[in-house]
Amino acid sequence: MRLRRKIFGFLTLIVGLSLIFPLILPLFYSVEANGNLTNDGYKIFDEFVGMSTRFKALNGNFQPAFANMTSVCAVISIVLYGLFLIFFLLQLSKKGRLPTRAILKSISVTMILVAILTLICSLTFVIMNKITFNEKTLLSFKFAYGTYILLIGSFLTGLFGVVAELKYRRKY
Protein backbone atom coordinates (compact mmCIF):
# COMPACT_ATOMS: atom_id res chain seq x y z
CA MET A 1 0.00 0.00 0.00
CA ARG A 2 1.44 3.32 -1.04
CA LEU A 3 2.12 6.19 1.33
CA ARG A 4 -0.29 8.56 -0.42
CA ARG A 5 -3.13 6.08 -0.02
CA LYS A 6 -2.39 5.72 3.69
CA ILE A 7 -2.03 9.46 4.34
CA PHE A 8 -5.20 10.48 2.51
CA GLY A 9 -7.05 7.47 3.88
CA PHE A 10 -6.26 8.55 7.43
CA LEU A 11 -7.16 12.17 6.54
CA THR A 12 -10.49 10.85 5.31
CA LEU A 13 -11.03 9.06 8.61
CA ILE A 14 -10.08 12.11 10.67
CA VAL A 15 -12.22 14.58 8.72
CA GLY A 16 -15.06 12.06 8.61
CA LEU A 17 -15.29 12.13 12.39
CA SER A 18 -16.75 15.62 12.04
CA LEU A 19 -19.84 14.04 10.47
CA ILE A 20 -21.00 13.05 13.95
CA PHE A 21 -21.60 16.70 14.88
CA PRO A 22 -24.58 17.31 12.52
CA LEU A 23 -26.37 14.56 14.42
CA ILE A 24 -26.27 16.62 17.63
CA LEU A 25 -25.95 20.25 16.46
CA PRO A 26 -28.85 22.23 15.00
CA LEU A 27 -29.16 22.27 11.22
CA PHE A 28 -31.40 25.37 10.85
CA TYR A 29 -32.40 28.44 12.81
CA SER A 30 -35.64 30.33 12.29
CA VAL A 31 -35.23 34.09 12.19
CA GLU A 32 -37.85 36.79 12.76
CA ALA A 33 -38.04 40.22 11.13
CA ASN A 34 -35.91 41.90 13.79
CA GLY A 35 -33.10 39.37 13.31
CA ASN A 36 -33.70 37.43 16.53
CA LEU A 37 -33.64 33.66 16.51
CA THR A 38 -37.00 32.21 17.48
CA ASN A 39 -35.64 29.02 19.06
CA ASP A 40 -32.49 27.05 19.83
CA GLY A 41 -32.42 25.59 16.34
CA TYR A 42 -33.85 22.59 14.59
CA LYS A 43 -31.81 19.45 14.99
CA ILE A 44 -31.95 16.25 13.02
CA PHE A 45 -35.55 15.03 12.51
CA ASP A 46 -36.99 17.72 14.80
CA GLU A 47 -40.62 18.59 14.44
CA PHE A 48 -41.27 22.16 13.43
CA VAL A 49 -43.89 22.74 16.12
CA GLY A 50 -46.05 25.77 15.46
CA MET A 51 -44.29 26.77 12.26
CA SER A 52 -47.15 25.88 9.94
CA THR A 53 -49.58 28.03 11.96
CA ARG A 54 -47.13 30.95 11.98
CA PHE A 55 -46.74 30.70 8.21
CA LYS A 56 -50.53 30.45 7.73
CA ALA A 57 -50.97 33.55 9.88
CA LEU A 58 -48.61 35.38 7.52
CA ASN A 59 -50.41 33.99 4.41
CA GLY A 60 -47.67 31.52 3.56
CA ASN A 61 -47.16 27.78 3.35
CA PHE A 62 -44.55 26.04 5.44
CA GLN A 63 -42.78 23.18 3.68
CA PRO A 64 -40.42 21.16 5.90
CA ALA A 65 -39.70 18.40 3.36
CA PHE A 66 -36.28 19.70 2.34
CA ALA A 67 -35.23 20.11 5.97
CA ASN A 68 -36.06 16.44 6.46
CA MET A 69 -34.08 15.60 3.31
CA THR A 70 -31.09 17.42 4.84
CA SER A 71 -31.50 15.27 7.94
CA VAL A 72 -31.56 12.16 5.77
CA CYS A 73 -28.36 13.35 4.06
CA ALA A 74 -26.73 13.62 7.50
CA VAL A 75 -27.64 10.01 8.25
CA ILE A 76 -26.48 8.83 4.82
CA SER A 77 -23.14 10.58 5.22
CA ILE A 78 -22.45 8.95 8.59
CA VAL A 79 -23.39 5.53 7.17
CA LEU A 80 -21.07 6.08 4.20
CA TYR A 81 -18.32 7.10 6.60
CA GLY A 82 -18.82 3.86 8.53
CA LEU A 83 -18.59 1.87 5.31
CA PHE A 84 -15.43 3.73 4.34
CA LEU A 85 -13.92 2.93 7.73
CA ILE A 86 -14.71 -0.79 7.40
CA PHE A 87 -13.34 -1.13 3.88
CA PHE A 88 -10.28 1.00 4.63
CA LEU A 89 -9.43 -1.30 7.52
CA LEU A 90 -9.90 -4.27 5.19
CA GLN A 91 -7.57 -2.63 2.71
CA LEU A 92 -4.95 -2.01 5.39
CA SER A 93 -5.11 -5.59 6.62
CA LYS A 94 -4.86 -6.95 3.06
CA LYS A 95 -7.36 -9.67 3.91
CA GLY A 96 -10.18 -10.80 1.71
CA ARG A 97 -10.76 -10.88 -1.99
CA LEU A 98 -12.92 -7.76 -2.27
CA PRO A 99 -11.92 -4.97 -4.66
CA THR A 100 -11.47 -2.48 -1.84
CA ARG A 101 -9.99 0.28 -4.00
CA ALA A 102 -13.03 0.36 -6.26
CA ILE A 103 -15.41 0.19 -3.31
CA LEU A 104 -13.59 2.97 -1.43
CA LYS A 105 -13.53 5.14 -4.54
CA SER A 106 -17.25 4.69 -5.14
CA ILE A 107 -18.03 5.45 -1.48
CA SER A 108 -15.94 8.63 -1.73
CA VAL A 109 -17.67 9.77 -4.91
CA THR A 110 -21.01 9.09 -3.24
CA MET A 111 -19.93 11.26 -0.29
CA ILE A 112 -19.26 14.15 -2.69
CA LEU A 113 -22.69 13.61 -4.25
CA VAL A 114 -24.28 13.63 -0.79
CA ALA A 115 -22.57 16.96 -0.09
CA ILE A 116 -24.01 18.39 -3.30
CA LEU A 117 -27.46 17.00 -2.47
CA THR A 118 -27.22 18.49 1.03
CA LEU A 119 -26.39 21.89 -0.43
CA ILE A 120 -29.34 21.71 -2.84
CA CYS A 121 -31.81 20.54 -0.18
CA SER A 122 -30.76 23.03 2.48
CA LEU A 123 -30.73 25.97 0.05
CA THR A 124 -34.16 24.97 -1.25
CA PHE A 125 -35.54 24.77 2.30
CA VAL A 126 -34.19 28.21 3.22
CA ILE A 127 -35.42 29.81 -0.03
CA MET A 128 -38.87 28.20 0.01
CA ASN A 129 -39.65 29.06 3.61
CA LYS A 130 -39.28 32.82 3.60
CA ILE A 131 -42.15 35.23 4.20
CA THR A 132 -41.67 38.75 2.87
CA PHE A 133 -44.00 41.74 3.03
CA ASN A 134 -43.17 45.03 1.30
CA GLU A 135 -39.65 43.73 0.60
CA LYS A 136 -39.07 43.10 4.31
CA THR A 137 -38.47 39.56 5.54
CA LEU A 138 -40.88 38.70 8.34
CA LEU A 139 -39.94 35.07 8.97
CA SER A 140 -37.17 33.01 7.45
CA PHE A 141 -34.61 30.31 8.14
CA LYS A 142 -30.84 30.29 8.05
CA PHE A 143 -28.17 27.62 8.21
CA ALA A 144 -26.86 26.53 11.58
CA TYR A 145 -23.49 25.01 12.44
CA GLY A 146 -24.66 21.48 11.73
CA THR A 147 -25.42 22.25 8.09
CA TYR A 148 -22.04 23.86 7.53
CA ILE A 149 -20.22 20.96 9.15
CA LEU A 150 -22.26 18.48 7.13
CA LEU A 151 -21.51 20.26 3.85
CA ILE A 152 -17.80 20.75 4.44
CA GLY A 153 -17.23 17.44 6.22
CA SER A 154 -18.90 15.24 3.63
CA PHE A 155 -17.27 17.07 0.72
CA LEU A 156 -13.77 16.92 2.20
CA THR A 157 -14.23 13.31 3.29
CA GLY A 158 -15.22 12.35 -0.23
CA LEU A 159 -12.46 14.41 -1.81
CA PHE A 160 -9.74 12.93 0.38
CA GLY A 161 -11.12 9.46 -0.26
CA VAL A 162 -11.02 9.97 -4.02
CA VAL A 163 -7.46 11.30 -3.87
CA ALA A 164 -6.42 8.33 -1.74
CA GLU A 165 -7.74 5.82 -4.26
CA LEU A 166 -6.57 7.40 -7.52
CA LYS A 167 -4.57 5.24 -9.85
CA TYR A 168 -0.85 5.71 -10.08
CA ARG A 169 1.05 6.29 -13.25
CA ARG A 170 4.40 4.60 -13.33
CA LYS A 171 7.25 6.05 -15.31
CA TYR A 172 9.76 3.59 -16.63
Side-chain angles (χ1 to χ4, degrees):
M1 185 175 204
R2 292 202 155 212
L3 183 63
R4 182 182 74 174
R5 195 175 304 158
K6 287 180 185 177
I7 289 173
F8 279 100
F10 284 118
L11 273 175
T12 302
L13 295 180
I14 291 169
V15 172
L17 285 176
S18 68
L19 295 173
I20 295 171
F21 293 117
L23 299 176
I24 54 176
L25 291 175
L27 295 173
F28 298 102
Y29 291 122
S30 58
V31 182
E32 290 187 345
N34 57 7
N36 292 338
L37 302 177
T38 59
N39 60 5
D40 293 332
Y42 293 102
K43 296 181 179 178
I44 189 167
F45 297 119
D46 263 354
E47 292 184 19
F48 293 91
V49 177
M51 270 299 154
S52 60
T53 56
R54 292 183 76 188
F55 271 76
K56 284 179 185 175
L58 297 171
N59 294 327
N61 290 327
F62 178 65
Q63 300 171 355
F66 286 101
N68 293 334
M69 292 278 293
T70 305
S71 299
V72 169
C73 287
V75 172
I76 290 172
S77 66
I78 199 74
V79 167
L80 287 173
Y81 171 71
L83 286 173
F84 189 91
L85 176 67
I86 291 168
F87 284 106
F88 185 71
L89 292 176
L90 278 174
Q91 187 181 34
L92 280 178
S93 67
K94 298 179 184 174
K95 302 232 188 244
R97 302 258 182 228
L98 292 173
T100 54
R101 275 186 69 198
I103 293 171
L104 288 173
K105 195 175 190 180
S106 63
I107 289 172
S108 300
V109 169
T110 308
M111 288 288 285
I112 293 173
L113 294 176
V114 167
I116 293 169
L117 182 65
T118 301
L119 179 66
I120 291 169
C121 289
S122 57
L123 276 176
T124 305
F125 173 72
V126 169
I127 291 170
M128 286 178 67
N129 293 307
K130 181 185 274 189
I131 301 287
T132 57
F133 182 73
N134 290 337
E135 297 181 10
K136 183 178 181 183
T137 303
L138 299 177
L139 185 62
S140 64
F141 286 89
K142 72 175 192 173
F143 295 154
Y145 297 116
T147 305
Y148 291 122
I149 292 172
L150 178 61
L151 285 170
I152 294 168
S154 61
F155 183 77
L156 286 179
T157 302
L159 183 68
F160 288 152
V162 168
V163 170
E165 300 304 322
L166 286 177
K167 286 192 174 189
Y168 299 101
R169 301 210 186 259
R170 294 185 183 196
K171 295 180 183 178
Y172 293 101

Short mmCIF file of all heavy atoms in Angstrom, two decimals, residues 84-128:
data_model
loop_
_atom_site.label_atom_id
_atom_site.label_comp_id
_atom_site.label_asym_id
_atom_site.label_seq_id
_atom_site.Cartn_x
_atom_site.Cartn_y
_atom_site.Cartn_z
N PHE A 84 -16.80 3.41 4.72
CA PHE A 84 -15.43 3.73 4.34
C PHE A 84 -14.44 3.22 5.38
O PHE A 84 -13.40 2.67 5.05
CB PHE A 84 -15.25 5.24 4.15
CG PHE A 84 -13.94 5.61 3.54
CD1 PHE A 84 -13.81 5.73 2.18
CD2 PHE A 84 -12.81 5.83 4.33
CE1 PHE A 84 -12.59 6.06 1.60
CE2 PHE A 84 -11.60 6.15 3.78
CZ PHE A 84 -11.48 6.26 2.41
N LEU A 85 -14.78 3.40 6.65
CA LEU A 85 -13.92 2.93 7.73
C LEU A 85 -13.73 1.42 7.66
O LEU A 85 -12.58 0.92 7.76
CB LEU A 85 -14.52 3.33 9.08
CG LEU A 85 -13.81 2.85 10.33
CD1 LEU A 85 -12.45 3.52 10.45
CD2 LEU A 85 -14.64 3.14 11.55
N ILE A 86 -14.80 0.67 7.45
CA ILE A 86 -14.71 -0.79 7.40
C ILE A 86 -13.84 -1.24 6.23
O ILE A 86 -12.92 -2.06 6.39
CB ILE A 86 -16.12 -1.41 7.30
CG1 ILE A 86 -16.87 -1.22 8.62
CG2 ILE A 86 -16.04 -2.89 6.93
CD1 ILE A 86 -18.34 -1.53 8.53
N PHE A 87 -14.09 -0.69 5.05
CA PHE A 87 -13.34 -1.13 3.88
C PHE A 87 -11.91 -0.62 3.87
O PHE A 87 -11.02 -1.26 3.34
CB PHE A 87 -14.06 -0.73 2.59
CG PHE A 87 -15.24 -1.60 2.29
CD1 PHE A 87 -16.53 -1.13 2.48
CD2 PHE A 87 -15.06 -2.90 1.86
CE1 PHE A 87 -17.61 -1.93 2.23
CE2 PHE A 87 -16.14 -3.72 1.60
CZ PHE A 87 -17.41 -3.24 1.79
N PHE A 88 -11.66 0.53 4.51
CA PHE A 88 -10.28 1.00 4.63
C PHE A 88 -9.49 0.09 5.56
O PHE A 88 -8.32 -0.22 5.30
CB PHE A 88 -10.25 2.44 5.13
CG PHE A 88 -8.86 3.03 5.16
CD1 PHE A 88 -8.20 3.33 3.99
CD2 PHE A 88 -8.23 3.27 6.37
CE1 PHE A 88 -6.92 3.87 4.02
CE2 PHE A 88 -6.96 3.81 6.40
CZ PHE A 88 -6.30 4.10 5.23
N LEU A 89 -10.11 -0.36 6.63
CA LEU A 89 -9.43 -1.30 7.52
C LEU A 89 -9.18 -2.63 6.83
O LEU A 89 -8.15 -3.27 7.04
CB LEU A 89 -10.23 -1.49 8.81
CG LEU A 89 -10.30 -0.28 9.73
CD1 LEU A 89 -11.21 -0.56 10.92
CD2 LEU A 89 -8.92 0.14 10.19
N LEU A 90 -10.12 -3.07 5.99
CA LEU A 90 -9.90 -4.27 5.19
C LEU A 90 -8.74 -4.08 4.21
O LEU A 90 -7.95 -4.99 3.99
CB LEU A 90 -11.16 -4.65 4.42
CG LEU A 90 -12.23 -5.43 5.16
CD1 LEU A 90 -13.46 -5.59 4.29
CD2 LEU A 90 -11.70 -6.78 5.58
N GLN A 91 -8.66 -2.91 3.65
CA GLN A 91 -7.57 -2.63 2.71
C GLN A 91 -6.23 -2.60 3.43
O GLN A 91 -5.23 -3.09 2.90
CB GLN A 91 -7.81 -1.29 2.02
CG GLN A 91 -6.83 -0.98 0.92
CD GLN A 91 -7.10 0.36 0.29
OE1 GLN A 91 -7.52 1.29 0.96
NE2 GLN A 91 -6.83 0.47 -1.00
N LEU A 92 -6.20 -2.04 4.63
CA LEU A 92 -4.95 -2.01 5.39
C LEU A 92 -4.51 -3.41 5.81
O LEU A 92 -3.32 -3.72 5.81
CB LEU A 92 -5.12 -1.15 6.65
CG LEU A 92 -5.02 0.35 6.47
CD1 LEU A 92 -5.26 1.04 7.80
CD2 LEU A 92 -3.69 0.77 5.90
N SER A 93 -5.46 -4.25 6.16
CA SER A 93 -5.11 -5.59 6.62
C SER A 93 -4.77 -6.54 5.48
O SER A 93 -4.23 -7.62 5.70
CB SER A 93 -6.26 -6.18 7.44
OG SER A 93 -7.37 -6.41 6.62
N LYS A 94 -5.13 -6.14 4.25
CA LYS A 94 -4.86 -6.95 3.06
C LYS A 94 -5.49 -8.34 3.16
O LYS A 94 -4.93 -9.32 2.70
CB LYS A 94 -3.37 -7.05 2.79
CG LYS A 94 -2.72 -5.72 2.50
CD LYS A 94 -1.25 -5.87 2.28
CE LYS A 94 -0.65 -4.49 2.08
NZ LYS A 94 0.78 -4.50 1.98
N LYS A 95 -6.64 -8.42 3.79
CA LYS A 95 -7.36 -9.67 3.91
C LYS A 95 -8.58 -9.61 3.00
O LYS A 95 -9.16 -8.57 2.77
CB LYS A 95 -7.81 -9.89 5.34
CG LYS A 95 -6.68 -9.89 6.33
CD LYS A 95 -6.73 -11.09 7.18
CE LYS A 95 -5.70 -10.93 8.27
NZ LYS A 95 -4.68 -11.79 8.32
N GLY A 96 -8.98 -10.72 2.53
CA GLY A 96 -10.18 -10.80 1.71
C GLY A 96 -9.90 -10.62 0.23
O GLY A 96 -8.82 -10.22 -0.18
N ARG A 97 -10.89 -10.94 -0.53
CA ARG A 97 -10.76 -10.88 -1.99
C ARG A 97 -11.62 -9.76 -2.58
O ARG A 97 -11.87 -9.75 -3.76
CB ARG A 97 -11.19 -12.21 -2.59
CG ARG A 97 -10.41 -13.37 -2.07
CD ARG A 97 -9.38 -13.78 -3.08
NE ARG A 97 -8.66 -14.94 -2.58
CZ ARG A 97 -7.36 -14.99 -2.59
NH1 ARG A 97 -6.65 -13.98 -3.04
NH2 ARG A 97 -6.75 -16.06 -2.13
N LEU A 98 -12.08 -8.85 -1.78
CA LEU A 98 -12.92 -7.76 -2.27
C LEU A 98 -12.08 -6.71 -2.98
O LEU A 98 -10.95 -6.43 -2.57
CB LEU A 98 -13.67 -7.11 -1.11
CG LEU A 98 -14.73 -7.94 -0.43
CD1 LEU A 98 -15.25 -7.21 0.79
CD2 LEU A 98 -15.85 -8.24 -1.39
N PRO A 99 -12.63 -6.08 -4.00
CA PRO A 99 -11.92 -4.97 -4.66
C PRO A 99 -12.07 -3.69 -3.84
O PRO A 99 -12.89 -2.82 -4.14
CB PRO A 99 -12.61 -4.87 -6.02
CG PRO A 99 -13.99 -5.37 -5.76
CD PRO A 99 -13.85 -6.42 -4.70
N THR A 100 -11.28 -3.58 -2.79
CA THR A 100 -11.47 -2.48 -1.84
C THR A 100 -11.20 -1.12 -2.45
O THR A 100 -11.85 -0.15 -2.07
CB THR A 100 -10.56 -2.67 -0.60
OG1 THR A 100 -9.22 -2.83 -1.02
CG2 THR A 100 -11.01 -3.87 0.21
N ARG A 101 -10.25 -1.03 -3.38
CA ARG A 101 -9.99 0.28 -4.00
C ARG A 101 -11.21 0.79 -4.74
O ARG A 101 -11.56 1.95 -4.64
CB ARG A 101 -8.80 0.19 -4.96
CG ARG A 101 -7.49 0.35 -4.24
CD ARG A 101 -6.34 0.40 -5.18
NE ARG A 101 -6.35 1.63 -5.95
CZ ARG A 101 -5.67 1.79 -7.07
NH1 ARG A 101 -4.96 0.80 -7.56
NH2 ARG A 101 -5.71 2.92 -7.70
N ALA A 102 -11.84 -0.06 -5.51
CA ALA A 102 -13.03 0.36 -6.26
C ALA A 102 -14.18 0.70 -5.33
O ALA A 102 -14.91 1.67 -5.55
CB ALA A 102 -13.44 -0.75 -7.23
N ILE A 103 -14.33 -0.07 -4.27
CA ILE A 103 -15.41 0.19 -3.31
C ILE A 103 -15.16 1.51 -2.58
O ILE A 103 -16.06 2.33 -2.42
CB ILE A 103 -15.54 -0.99 -2.32
CG1 ILE A 103 -16.03 -2.23 -3.06
CG2 ILE A 103 -16.49 -0.64 -1.19
CD1 ILE A 103 -15.99 -3.49 -2.24
N LEU A 104 -13.92 1.73 -2.13
CA LEU A 104 -13.59 2.97 -1.43
C LEU A 104 -13.75 4.18 -2.34
O LEU A 104 -14.21 5.24 -1.90
CB LEU A 104 -12.18 2.90 -0.88
CG LEU A 104 -11.98 1.97 0.31
CD1 LEU A 104 -10.51 1.85 0.65
CD2 LEU A 104 -12.76 2.47 1.50
N LYS A 105 -13.38 4.03 -3.59
CA LYS A 105 -13.53 5.14 -4.54
C LYS A 105 -15.00 5.46 -4.77
O LYS A 105 -15.39 6.63 -4.81
CB LYS A 105 -12.84 4.78 -5.85
CG LYS A 105 -12.61 5.94 -6.76
CD LYS A 105 -11.80 5.45 -7.96
CE LYS A 105 -11.30 6.56 -8.80
NZ LYS A 105 -10.54 6.08 -9.94
N SER A 106 -15.82 4.44 -4.91
CA SER A 106 -17.25 4.69 -5.14
C SER A 106 -17.92 5.28 -3.89
O SER A 106 -18.79 6.14 -4.01
CB SER A 106 -17.95 3.41 -5.57
OG SER A 106 -17.88 2.44 -4.56
N ILE A 107 -17.50 4.86 -2.72
CA ILE A 107 -18.03 5.45 -1.48
C ILE A 107 -17.64 6.93 -1.41
O ILE A 107 -18.44 7.78 -1.03
CB ILE A 107 -17.53 4.67 -0.24
CG1 ILE A 107 -18.20 3.31 -0.15
CG2 ILE A 107 -17.80 5.46 1.04
CD1 ILE A 107 -17.62 2.41 0.92
N SER A 108 -16.41 7.24 -1.78
CA SER A 108 -15.94 8.63 -1.73
C SER A 108 -16.68 9.51 -2.72
O SER A 108 -17.05 10.64 -2.40
CB SER A 108 -14.44 8.67 -2.01
OG SER A 108 -13.75 7.91 -1.06
N VAL A 109 -16.91 9.00 -3.92
CA VAL A 109 -17.67 9.77 -4.91
C VAL A 109 -19.11 9.98 -4.43
O VAL A 109 -19.68 11.06 -4.59
CB VAL A 109 -17.62 9.07 -6.28
CG1 VAL A 109 -18.61 9.68 -7.26
CG2 VAL A 109 -16.22 9.11 -6.85
N THR A 110 -19.66 8.97 -3.79
CA THR A 110 -21.01 9.09 -3.24
C THR A 110 -21.05 10.13 -2.13
O THR A 110 -22.04 10.87 -2.00
CB THR A 110 -21.51 7.72 -2.73
OG1 THR A 110 -21.35 6.75 -3.76
CG2 THR A 110 -22.95 7.78 -2.31
N MET A 111 -19.99 10.23 -1.34
CA MET A 111 -19.93 11.26 -0.29
C MET A 111 -19.95 12.66 -0.91
O MET A 111 -20.60 13.57 -0.38
CB MET A 111 -18.67 11.09 0.55
CG MET A 111 -18.69 9.92 1.48
SD MET A 111 -19.79 10.14 2.86
CE MET A 111 -18.82 11.26 3.82
N ILE A 112 -19.25 12.85 -2.01
CA ILE A 112 -19.26 14.15 -2.69
C ILE A 112 -20.67 14.45 -3.21
O ILE A 112 -21.16 15.57 -3.10
CB ILE A 112 -18.21 14.18 -3.81
CG1 ILE A 112 -16.81 14.10 -3.20
CG2 ILE A 112 -18.35 15.43 -4.66
CD1 ILE A 112 -15.69 13.96 -4.21
N LEU A 113 -21.32 13.43 -3.76
CA LEU A 113 -22.69 13.61 -4.25
C LEU A 113 -23.66 13.92 -3.12
O LEU A 113 -24.60 14.71 -3.28
CB LEU A 113 -23.14 12.39 -5.03
CG LEU A 113 -22.40 12.12 -6.34
CD1 LEU A 113 -22.86 10.82 -6.97
CD2 LEU A 113 -22.57 13.28 -7.30
N VAL A 114 -23.45 13.32 -1.96
CA VAL A 114 -24.28 13.63 -0.79
C VAL A 114 -24.07 15.07 -0.35
O VAL A 114 -25.02 15.75 0.04
CB VAL A 114 -24.00 12.63 0.36
CG1 VAL A 114 -24.60 13.09 1.67
CG2 VAL A 114 -24.55 11.26 0.01
N ALA A 115 -22.84 15.56 -0.43
CA ALA A 115 -22.57 16.96 -0.09
C ALA A 115 -23.30 17.90 -1.04
O ALA A 115 -23.89 18.90 -0.61
CB ALA A 115 -21.07 17.23 -0.12
N ILE A 116 -23.30 17.56 -2.32
CA ILE A 116 -24.01 18.39 -3.30
C ILE A 116 -25.52 18.33 -3.06
O ILE A 116 -26.21 19.35 -3.10
CB ILE A 116 -23.64 17.95 -4.73
CG1 ILE A 116 -22.17 18.25 -5.01
CG2 ILE A 116 -24.54 18.62 -5.76
CD1 ILE A 116 -21.63 17.63 -6.27
N LEU A 117 -26.04 17.15 -2.77
CA LEU A 117 -27.46 17.00 -2.47
C LEU A 117 -27.84 17.75 -1.20
O LEU A 117 -28.91 18.37 -1.13
CB LEU A 117 -27.82 15.51 -2.35
CG LEU A 117 -29.28 15.20 -2.08
CD1 LEU A 117 -30.15 15.62 -3.26
CD2 LEU A 117 -29.45 13.73 -1.78
N THR A 118 -26.97 17.73 -0.21
CA THR A 118 -27.22 18.49 1.03
C THR A 118 -27.30 19.98 0.75
O THR A 118 -28.16 20.68 1.28
CB THR A 118 -26.11 18.20 2.06
OG1 THR A 118 -26.08 16.81 2.33
CG2 THR A 118 -26.33 18.97 3.34
N LEU A 119 -26.38 20.48 -0.08
CA LEU A 119 -26.39 21.89 -0.43
C LEU A 119 -27.69 22.26 -1.15
O LEU A 119 -28.32 23.27 -0.82
CB LEU A 119 -25.19 22.22 -1.32
CG LEU A 119 -25.08 23.66 -1.80
CD1 LEU A 119 -24.84 24.59 -0.62
CD2 LEU A 119 -23.98 23.79 -2.82
N ILE A 120 -28.11 21.43 -2.08
CA ILE A 120 -29.34 21.71 -2.84
C ILE A 120 -30.55 21.68 -1.92
O ILE A 120 -31.40 22.59 -1.95
CB ILE A 120 -29.49 20.70 -4.00
CG1 ILE A 120 -28.42 20.96 -5.05
CG2 ILE A 120 -30.88 20.78 -4.61
CD1 ILE A 120 -28.31 19.87 -6.09
N CYS A 121 -30.65 20.67 -1.07
CA CYS A 121 -31.81 20.54 -0.18
C CYS A 121 -31.87 21.66 0.85
O CYS A 121 -32.95 22.22 1.11
CB CYS A 121 -31.80 19.19 0.53
SG CYS A 121 -32.14 17.81 -0.54
N SER A 122 -30.75 21.99 1.45
CA SER A 122 -30.76 23.03 2.48
C SER A 122 -31.02 24.41 1.88
O SER A 122 -31.76 25.21 2.46
CB SER A 122 -29.47 23.00 3.29
OG SER A 122 -28.36 23.14 2.44
N LEU A 123 -30.44 24.69 0.71
CA LEU A 123 -30.73 25.97 0.05
C LEU A 123 -32.20 26.07 -0.35
O LEU A 123 -32.83 27.11 -0.19
CB LEU A 123 -29.86 26.15 -1.18
CG LEU A 123 -28.45 26.70 -0.96
CD1 LEU A 123 -27.68 26.72 -2.26
CD2 LEU A 123 -28.50 28.07 -0.35
N THR A 124 -32.75 24.98 -0.86
CA THR A 124 -34.16 24.97 -1.25
C THR A 124 -35.05 25.20 -0.04
O THR A 124 -36.04 25.94 -0.12
CB THR A 124 -34.51 23.64 -1.94
OG1 THR A 124 -33.61 23.44 -3.02
CG2 THR A 124 -35.92 23.63 -2.45
N PHE A 125 -34.73 24.57 1.09
CA PHE A 125 -35.54 24.77 2.30
C PHE A 125 -35.50 26.22 2.75
O PHE A 125 -36.54 26.81 3.07
CB PHE A 125 -35.03 23.86 3.42
CG PHE A 125 -35.70 24.11 4.74
CD1 PHE A 125 -37.02 23.73 4.94
CD2 PHE A 125 -35.02 24.74 5.76
CE1 PHE A 125 -37.65 23.98 6.15
CE2 PHE A 125 -35.64 24.98 6.97
CZ PHE A 125 -36.96 24.60 7.17
N VAL A 126 -34.32 26.82 2.75
CA VAL A 126 -34.19 28.21 3.22
C VAL A 126 -34.90 29.16 2.25
O VAL A 126 -35.57 30.11 2.69
CB VAL A 126 -32.70 28.58 3.38
CG1 VAL A 126 -32.52 30.06 3.60
CG2 VAL A 126 -32.11 27.81 4.54
N ILE A 127 -34.79 28.92 0.95
CA ILE A 127 -35.42 29.81 -0.03
C ILE A 127 -36.94 29.66 -0.03
O ILE A 127 -37.66 30.66 -0.12
CB ILE A 127 -34.82 29.54 -1.43
CG1 ILE A 127 -33.36 30.01 -1.46
CG2 ILE A 127 -35.63 30.23 -2.51
CD1 ILE A 127 -32.62 29.57 -2.70
N MET A 128 -37.42 28.43 0.08
CA MET A 128 -38.87 28.20 0.01
C MET A 128 -39.62 28.70 1.24
O MET A 128 -40.79 29.05 1.14
CB MET A 128 -39.16 26.71 -0.18
CG MET A 128 -38.87 26.20 -1.55
SD MET A 128 -39.18 24.44 -1.71
CE MET A 128 -40.93 24.35 -1.51
#
